[in-house]
């Protein structure tokens, strides 16, 4: 998973061609720690997508701009445009995330 350290680096992923899954998290977030063990498996199952980890606290202005108020949350950008979001305060399971990504695959080939 990519871990940008600057807004410029993050912007490059937003603007790059292809599909990018922005995973908003925070170190203190229990639900983020809950899903951490299965994220590598999800990432491996979707090799056509680039997964980008965004520390919500380090990029708070961006999180606010993108309306990320609950974490963990995922926003998917394709060729610079948002095509889906799984943004809420609920704990996400591996099944929730894969169902979300599979739904994007069917609708945005």
């Amino acid at each position: 998973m990519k871990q940008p350290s600057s807004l410029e680096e993050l912007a490059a992923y937003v603007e790059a061609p292809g599909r990018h899954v922005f995973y908003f998290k925070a170190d203190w977030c229990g639900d983020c720690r809950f899903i951490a063990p299965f994220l590598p498996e999800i990432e491996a199952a979707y090799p056509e997508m680039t997964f980008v980890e965004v520390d919500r606290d380090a990029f708070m202005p961006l999180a606010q701009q993108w309306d990320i108020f609950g974490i963990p949350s995922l926003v998917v950008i394709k060729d610079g445009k948002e095509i889906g979001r799984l943004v809420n305060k609920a704990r996400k399971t591996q099944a929730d995330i894969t169902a979300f990504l599979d739904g994007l695959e069917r609708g945005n080939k």
Side-chain angles (χ1 to χ4, degrees), residues 8-23:
E8 294 77 19
E9 192 178 352
L10 234 166
Y13 288 113
V14 171
E15 297 167 4
R19 292 184 199 162
H20 298 81
V21 179
F22 292 86
Y23 162 57

Side-chain angles (χ1 to χ4, degrees), residues 3 7 12 15 17 19 27 42 48 54 65-66 73 83 85 91 94:
Q3 296 177 321
L7 270 177
E15 297 167 4
R19 292 184 199 162
D27 290 339
I42 292 172
E48 70 283 2
V54 182
Q65 181 181 356
W66 284 19
S73 289
I83 61 168
R85 59 176 38 226
R91 176 175 275 190
Q94 185 170 1

Side-chain angles (χ1 to χ4, degrees), residues 86 91-101:
L86 182 58
R91 176 175 275 190
K92 284 119 185 117
T93 65
Q94 185 170 1
D96 294 334
I97 295 170
T98 55
F100 165 68
L101 295 174

Side-chain angles (χ1 to χ4, degrees), residues 1-4 10 21-25 27 39 51-55 59:
M1 189 167 303
K2 309 294 184 190
Q3 296 177 321
L10 234 166
V21 179
F22 292 86
Y23 162 57
F24 285 83
K25 50 118 15 218
D27 290 339
L39 285 174
F51 286 75
V52 181
E53 182 179 294
V54 182
D55 183 323
F59 293 99

Side-chain angles (χ1 to χ4, degrees), residues 17-51:
R19 292 184 199 162
H20 298 81
V21 179
F22 292 86
Y23 162 57
F24 285 83
K25 50 118 15 218
D27 290 339
W28 52 264
C29 169
D31 289 343
C32 300
R33 287 191 301 272
F34 171 77
I35 67 172
F38 56 77
L39 285 174
E41 186 178 331
I42 292 172
E43 188 174 5
Y46 298 89
E48 70 283 2
M49 296 182 181
T50 301
F51 286 75

Side-chain angles (χ1 to χ4, degrees), residues 61-72:
L62 176 69
Q64 290 172 337
Q65 181 181 356
W66 284 19
D67 294 324
I68 307 296
F69 295 109
I71 54 174

